[in-house]
Amino acid sequence: SQTIHQWPATLVQPVGSPLSLECTVEGTSNPNLYWYRQAAGRGLQLLFYSVGIGQISSEVPQNLSASRPQDRQFILSSKKLLLSDSGFYLCAWSGSGRYVNEQFFGPGTRLTVL
Amino acid sequence: AQSVSQHNHHVILSEAASLELGCNYSYGGTVNLFWYVQYPGQHLQLLLKYFSGDPLVKGIKGFEAEFIKSKFSFNLRKPSVQWSDTAEYFCAVSLYNNNDMRFGAGTRLTVKP
């Protein structure tokens, strides 16, 4: 069966420090991968999605970037964190191909920028 | 702009009450529709989905949703809620043949025992 992992689960970082959040998927190949930020009362905001290795689409301009170095690995990064980057970050995957499948979510990372 | 609206931000019900959570979207084409649920401390998980066919969709835990194309709506219902239904519920929409999914702001449901 397919599983999705995110780490770390929680992270406290100072303003101006770099960030690297990792997401890996097991049990499937060539998934579509997504990064979301969940803010209270604002639902899930899609940040990035990827349909293949090295293919990244950005939904909103921001202080963050994403990379997909391997088929089942998706990384969210920042060179210098801002206070406004605090939030709950969710990674998700879906099946690739012609038809939309539902997205499956990881446990999330709670990021606090101080 | 394409959007998904959930009009109820926080709903408080007593056990055995009936539930209906509203979801409206503004996409113009053929859509796929989803309801996700996030129980306290748990992953976001799929409650039910609509791709095509019968517009009344049955999901897990006694939930159902009805797709009304003319109203651009996909409301979630449950005849009798339980304390364990306390969670946050998210409506999501994606265009047919498109993996880009958009979520509503979520509705927090609190069920009093």
Side-chain angles (χ1 to χ4, degrees), chain A residues 24-64:
Chain A
T24 58
V25 181
E26 296 176 358
T28 186
S29 59
N30 196 29
N32 294 321
L33 296 172
Y34 309 82
W35 278 111
Y36 290 89
R37 177 162 52 204
Q38 185 178 7
R42 296 182 60 186
L44 276 72
Q45 180 187 31
L46 180 64
L47 302 175
F48 301 95
Y49 69 93
S50 171
V51 298
I53 296 174
Q55 300 179 61
I56 309 294
S57 296
S58 174
E59 284 298 300
V60 293
Q62 58 209 317
N63 186 43
L64 303 168

Side-chain angles (χ1 to χ4, degrees), chain A residues 32 34 36 38 41-44 46 59 88 94-95 98-103 105-107, chain B residues 32 34 36 38 43-44 46 49 51 90 94-105:
Chain A
N32 294 321
Y34 309 82
Y36 290 89
Q38 185 178 7
R42 296 182 60 186
L44 276 72
L46 180 64
E59 284 298 300
F88 191 56
S94 69
R98 182 179 176 185
Y99 298 103
V100 171
N101 297 301
E102 63 264 29
Q103 294 183 14
F105 287 83
Chain B
N32 299 304
F34 308 83
Y36 282 84
Q38 189 172 33
H43 296 202
L44 204 65
L46 184 70
K49 61 185 177 184
F51 284 0
F90 295 92
S94 65
L95 290 174
Y96 179 72
N97 269 4
N98 189 320
N99 289 304
D100 186 3
M101 186 180 291
R102 303 290 163 153
F103 285 80

